[in-house]
């Protein structure tokens, strides 16, 4: 797919991925779960020049959750937009912003699986990686 559009819940912040397939993964880390009331479903646009952001600077908050990473969300509606690794200029974006991707998504990977609390589990067959990037 090309030129895939997404917005936050209130529509103030617009994001686009220039080109993407249908790969979706999930992160079970403590920060993602606390931030979003559950595991984050994410897409990985791979390179920053594959990402187009049209953010409303009056309605966006950049929260630096660790020295190298900022988490960005809409400060009007609260929607989590993306995770951005500052040094590597790498984005992982909220998959649920992009209806065209999730419509036919291939959910193939769970990361930080060792951090997943026991009370939920997906029945999907996926690859599972630990917080130290070992396959589980
Ligand atoms: Zn919003
Ligand atoms: Zn995470």
């Amino acid at each position: 797919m090309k030129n895939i559009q997404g917005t936050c819940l209130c529509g103030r912040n617009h994001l686009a991925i220039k080109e993407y397939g249908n790969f979706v993964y999930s992160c079970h880390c403590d920060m993602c779960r606390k931030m979003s009331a559950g595991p984050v479903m994410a897409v990985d646009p791979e390179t920053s020049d594959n990402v187009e952001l049209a953010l409303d600077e009056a309605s966006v908050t950049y929260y630096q959750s660790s020295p190298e990473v900022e988490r960005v969300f809409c400060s009007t509606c609260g929607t989590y937009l993306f995770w951005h690794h500052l040094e590597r200029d790498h984005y992982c974006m909220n998959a649920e912003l992009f209806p065209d991707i999730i419509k036919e998504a291939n959910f193939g990977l769970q990361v930080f699986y060792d951090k997943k609390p026991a009370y939920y589990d997906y029945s999907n067959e996926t690859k599972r990686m630990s917080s130290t990037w070992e396959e589980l």
Side-chain angles (χ1 to χ4, degrees):
M1 284 184 281
K2 287 190 194 291
N3 192 27
I4 307 148
Q5 302 290 321
T7 69
C8 61
L9 194 56
C10 75
R12 285 177 170 82
N13 291 294
H14 295 256
L15 307 87
I17 302 174
K18 290 181 189 168
E19 188 160 8
Y20 199 73
N22 63 353
F23 175 70
V24 170
Y25 75 96
S26 179
C27 183
H28 300 287
C29 83
D30 296 348
M31 283 196 258
C32 283
R33 287 185 291 103
K34 184 169 267 197
M35 175 191 72
S36 62
V40 162
M41 307 303 286
V43 294
D44 179 356
E46 291 182 15
T47 61
S48 62
D49 58 7
N50 196 25
V51 171
E52 284 178 328
L53 302 175
L55 305 179
D56 175 358
E57 289 303 323
S59 288
V60 71
T61 297
Y62 300 83
Y63 171 63
Q64 195 157 352
S65 58
S66 56
E68 63 280 352
V69 168
E70 63 184 9
R71 293 169 182 268
V72 180
F73 59 94
C74 177
S75 42
T76 297
C77 68
T79 302
Y80 167 57
L81 301 173
F82 57 83
W83 173 106
H84 182 211
H85 193 289
L86 300 163
E87 220 169 85
R88 289 190 277 131
D89 195 22
H90 185 121
Y91 291 85
C92 290
M93 309 179 95
N94 174 357
E96 296 293 328
L97 304 179
F98 301 99
D100 290 340
I101 294 176
I102 60 171
K103 192 166 58 184
E104 295 180 36
N106 170 26
F107 174 45
L109 175 66
Q110 300 179 66
V111 302
F112 282 70
Y113 192 81
D114 52 333
K115 300 295 182 187
K116 183 187 75 59
Y119 78 89
Y120 71 81
D121 211 353
Y122 299 125
S123 61
N124 307 62
E125 289 285 327
T126 69
K127 192 170 174 179
R128 294 171 175 176
M129 304 297 281
S130 76
S131 52
T132 55
W133 301 104
E134 288 156 71
E135 194 160 351
L136 298 171

